[in-house]
């Protein structure tokens, strides 16, 4: 479960913990990767023209993602996109040759992270109608299609949490329940897939 909020005491971190707790209750092996605790430069200084050595925390993050059957991203929507910390993590780790690869003579890359599913849990101050009709779900489309499905994640589910700025304590509790229910659905689905094809242990990283 990857948390992309730079504040470790955020709603995103709380929801990530709720997801992980419910998944563990149902038998999943779960790790929470808090990007706020990792030591890495989030800036890809030379673009993709020059190799930028990975810090040890990023090497470990890649290892955990490769070991996972299911990956969960929890983060807030800022400026109709992911926080810079999460974007920097993606740009530094989802590299050519690791997340995707262009073969000679092909304009379509090979997806190197195939065989995994994912869930995106995104919080935002905007109300649901505004996100759907004004923003046209742009932040979701960008992350799901442009990053996850581009690199091979096949089954990607989304959970949107709207109106965060106006939430009362009861709203936070109901939101946590929504996330726990999503975790239950994901784990049961992955356990069913594992029964049909026991290639890897169930790990959520």
């Amino acid at each position: 479960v990857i948390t992309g909020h730079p504040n470790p005491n955020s709603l995103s971190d709380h929801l990530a913990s709720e997801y992980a707790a419910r998944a563990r209750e149902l038998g999943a092996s779960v790790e929470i990767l808090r990007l706020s605790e990792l030591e890495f430069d989030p800036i890809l200084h030379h673009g993709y023209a020059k190799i930028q050595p990975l810090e040890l925390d990023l090497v470990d993050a890649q290892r955990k993602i490769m070991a996972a059957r299911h990956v969960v991203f929890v983060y807030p929507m800022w400026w109709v996109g992911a926080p810079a910390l999460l974007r920097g993590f993606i740009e530094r780790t989802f590299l050519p040759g690791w997340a995707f690869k262009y073969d000679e003579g092909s304009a379509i890359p090979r997806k190197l992270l195939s065989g995994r599913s994912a869930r995106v849990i995104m919080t935002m101050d905007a109300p649901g109608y505004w996100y759907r009709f004004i923003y046209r779900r742009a932040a979701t489309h960008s992350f799901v299609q442009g990053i996850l499905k581009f690199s091979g994640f096949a089954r990607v589910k989304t959970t949107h949490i709207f109106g965060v700025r106006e939430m009362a304590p009861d709203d936070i509790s109901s939101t946590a329940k929504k996330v726990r229910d999503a975790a239950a659905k994901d784990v049961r689905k992955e356990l069913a897939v594992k029964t049909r094809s026991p290639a890897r242990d169930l790990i959520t990283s």
Side-chain angles (χ1 to χ4, degrees):
V1 179
I2 299 174
T3 62
H5 200 301
N7 181 356
N9 298 314
S10 65
L11 176 62
S12 294
D13 188 78
H14 174 64
L15 297 179
S17 296
E18 291 287 337
Y19 185 103
R22 182 58 177 145
R24 290 187 182 112
E25 289 171 1
L26 294 173
S29 173
V30 184
E31 293 186 64
I32 298 180
L33 189 65
R34 294 179 173 89
L35 300 189
S36 62
E37 298 177 352
L38 304 190
E39 293 187 7
F40 71 99
D41 184 351
I43 300 174
L44 195 61
H45 290 278
H46 307 286
Y48 295 103
K50 182 179 178 181
I51 295 175
Q52 186 171 331
L54 293 179
E55 294 86 345
L56 291 178
D57 281 350
L58 294 187
V59 172
D60 185 57
Q62 284 187 334
R63 179 188 63 79
K64 290 176 179 177
I65 292 172
M66 289 299 292
R69 288 176 60 100
H70 184 70
V71 183
V72 183
F73 295 86
V74 191
Y75 61 93
M77 182 187 78
W78 289 351
W79 294 107
V80 199
L85 179 64
L86 178 54
R87 290 292 311 190
F89 173 80
I90 294 294
E91 290 176 5
R92 291 295 316 282
T93 56
F94 279 51
L95 297 170
W98 186 81
F100 63 95
K101 181 178 181 180
Y102 282 98
D103 294 321
E104 185 175 354
S106 175
I108 307 299
R110 259 194 299 134
K111 304 169 188 272
L112 300 183
L113 296 180
S114 298
R116 296 166 182 81
S117 61
R119 179 173 292 274
V120 173
I121 301 173
M122 189 191 309
T123 68
M124 64 189 76
D125 289 336
Y129 70 85
W130 189 269
Y131 183 63
R132 285 189 290 269
F133 299 115
I134 304 300
Y135 292 156
R136 297 181 181 275
R137 296 171 53 91
T140 304
H141 185 78
S142 172
F143 201 87
V144 171
Q145 298 293 334
I147 298 173
L148 299 181
K149 291 195 174 182
F150 180 86
S151 55
F153 288 86
R155 301 182 311 280
V156 182
K157 301 296 184 181
T158 59
T159 301
H160 297 102
I161 311 299
F162 303 109
V164 169
R165 186 169 57 88
E166 300 175 350
M167 275 188 174
D170 287 348
D171 297 322
I172 294 176
S173 295
S174 62
T175 294
K177 181 182 183 305
K178 181 178 180 178
V179 168
R180 288 174 65 87
D181 289 345
K185 290 179 182 177
D186 292 345
V187 171
R188 288 171 181 139
K189 178 68 175 179
E190 290 305 317
L191 288 175
V193 171
K194 180 183 178 183
T195 300
R196 294 195 298 269
S197 180
R200 290 194 298 269
D201 291 336
L202 175 61
I203 303 176
T204 306
S205 303

